[in-house]
Amino acid sequence: MRILITGTHGQLGTALQKELTNQNYEVIALGKSDLDLTKIKQIKTVIEKFCPKVVINCAAYNYVEGAGEDIEKAYCLNTFAPYWLAVTTKKVGGKLIQLSSDYVFDGSKESFRENDTPCPLNIYGMSRLAGERLVHLVAPESIIIRTSRLFGFSDDPQSHNFVKGIIKRANQEGLVSVVTDQIGNPTYAPDLAVAICQLLEKRAVVGIYHITNSGACSWYEFTKKIFEIAHITAPIIPIVTDESGTKISRPSFSVLENFRLIELGITPLRHWSEALAEYLGKLTI
Ligand SMILES: NC(=O)c1ccc[n+]([C@@H]2O[C@H](COP(=O)([O-])OP(=O)(O)OC[C@H]3O[C@@H](n4cnc5c(N)ncnc54)[C@H](OP(=O)(O)O)[C@@H]3O)[C@@H](O)[C@H]2O)c1
């Protein structure tokens, strides 16, 4: 089966390319220079050229703070690009797998299932939810995967994630301040890639799936574990979001229950701390 991946040099794109190739799928792995998702004509040309059975869109505008200022870019990549991918993929007889985010929720309860009503608190979350809705409208056979707090390897040496960022900050500044009042599920991109492959094997699935590693924690607890495993002794100052200087509202709880995945009989992903230990064992900064 021919599978086309967009945003292939990002964390999930890198992991998926490896996993799908290991599973003997025919993989067309495209980065921004091969397919710029801000260009509608290019989307049509590329999808019509390769006629993939499945398109997995790993590209996104991921900068939550920046989305409030660069609204056009956030909607272009997170809403309209998925829409055009869904339209053109459907036209060639394929199916879209669109990635989305825990930030479609408002944190008004401690965890969220796939059928809970989304209510994003910021532009980033709105652009993701709008993308989900448009994809569903034009191609209801698509799969939407919501995930959160990704960490993993990337072909792009400039790529950023929380784990690398907090280690660099500890090294440069000697101490870090981290919020205690935002709870979510850290997720290891290679584990997510394996789960996406398992979902692919179940051919008839459609609709929204939550896929994260098991277990939830605050950014503060996540940092404590990172430092413990990596033997970093820099002090970690616990703060609350109001003290962090952010202008963006974020959900206090954005824990994603992997309800439908488990219902399908797929084994829940391992605990995030186990995945983190594997990641840090392989990471070179
Ligand atoms: N990272 C997280 O914490 C997180 C949390 C929740 C959901 N997700 C979702 O999970 C998916 C995968 O995330 P990730 O962490 O793997 O993302 P990532 O590492 O930031 O990779 C995103 C990729 O998208 C590419 N891209 C940006 N603009 C593009 C354009 N105009 N055309 C084509 N490609 C473009 C980027 O290329 P350049 O670097 O060259 O711009 C990058 O390779 C995304 O949908 C993301 O929103 C991620």
Side-chain angles (χ1 to χ4, degrees):
M1 180 160 68
R2 179 179 291 175
I3 301 183
L4 186 146
I5 311 174
T6 64
T8 204
H9 304 302
Q11 301 186 93
L12 181 60
T14 301
L16 259 177
Q17 189 183 351
K18 197 168 163 199
E19 189 60 32
L20 289 167
T21 307
N22 285 345
Q23 307 263 348
N24 291 323
Y25 286 105
E26 184 191 350
V27 182
I28 315 284
L30 306 179
K32 192 161 68 182
S33 55
D34 314 298
L35 172 55
D36 181 344
L37 290 173
T38 60
K39 305 207 162 95
I40 298 168
K41 261 195 186 158
Q42 236 185 64
I43 297 178
K44 289 183 184 166
T45 311
V46 168
I47 299 296
E48 280 167 14
K49 175 179 169 196
F50 291 109
C51 291
K53 273 278 155 266
V54 175
V55 171
I56 309 181
N57 181 21
C58 301
Y61 183 85
N62 266 334
Y63 182 32
V64 179
E65 301 275 336
E69 275 141 38
D70 208 348
I71 298 176
E72 203 175 310
K73 193 164 179 196
Y75 276 96
C76 183
L77 269 169
N78 295 345
T79 308
F80 299 112
Y83 167 78
W84 284 111
L85 279 172
V87 169
T88 50
T89 304
K90 189 183 177 91
K91 204 169 154 203
V92 301
K95 172 171 175 157
L96 176 66
I97 300 184
Q98 172 61 34
L99 271 292
S100 186
S101 161
D102 54 330
Y103 274 27
V104 298
F105 292 115
D106 61 3
S108 59
K109 54 188 200 135
E110 290 196 359
S111 63
F112 294 87
R113 284 190 182 172
E114 288 85 350
N115 61 359
D116 280 321
T117 306
C119 183
L121 296 179
N122 54 45
I123 301 280
Y124 170 79
M126 289 176 205
S127 70
R128 301 314 308 240
L129 180 61
E132 289 186 5
R133 294 270 160 90
L134 283 186
V135 165
H136 182 73
L137 195 70
V138 292
E141 68 281 7
S142 305
I143 297 176
I144 287 158
I145 296 174
R146 295 188 187 130
T147 190
S148 67
R149 302 186 177 189
L150 279 189
F151 59 96
F153 303 97
S154 167
D155 291 341
D156 175 2
Q158 302 300 321
S159 96
H160 177 84
N161 66 34
F162 181 84
V163 181
K164 290 199 283 186
I166 204 78
I167 293 174
K168 267 190 203 150
R169 248 167 63 201
N171 289 340
Q172 284 165 4
E173 295 165 27
L175 92 173
V176 295
S177 308
V178 190
V179 296
T180 54
D181 56 353
Q182 293 172 32
I183 316 292
N185 313 98
T187 300
Y188 187 37
D191 287 358
L192 174 59
V194 171
I196 292 175
C197 286
Q198 290 171 328
L199 205 58
L200 265 176
E201 283 160 23
K202 314 231 175 220
R203 305 229 163 170
V205 300
V206 299
I208 300 171
Y209 285 83
H210 289 175
I211 310 184
T212 62
N213 277 112
S214 301
C217 60
S218 67
W219 289 114
Y220 175 77
E221 290 162 323
F222 191 37
T223 306
K224 266 177 71 175
K225 195 46 124 184
I226 295 166
F227 284 15
E228 180 193 313
I229 298 171
H231 306 294
I232 294 169
T233 54
I236 311 168
I237 318 288
I239 57 167
V240 292
T241 302
D242 283 350
E243 297 171 298
S244 71
T246 182
K247 294 184 198 126
I248 306 289
S249 298
R250 291 161 192 262
S252 308
F253 297 95
S254 58
V255 176
L256 299 175
E257 283 183 51
N258 292 199
F259 187 76
R260 292 191 69 207
L261 197 75
I262 293 164
E263 212 176 36
L264 263 187
I266 293 176
T267 311
L269 277 62
R270 62 184 159 168
H271 196 272
W272 62 263
S273 57
E274 203 185 313
L276 176 67
E278 180 180 311
Y279 177 59
L280 287 170
K282 294 177 179 172
L283 185 67
T284 47
I285 292 192

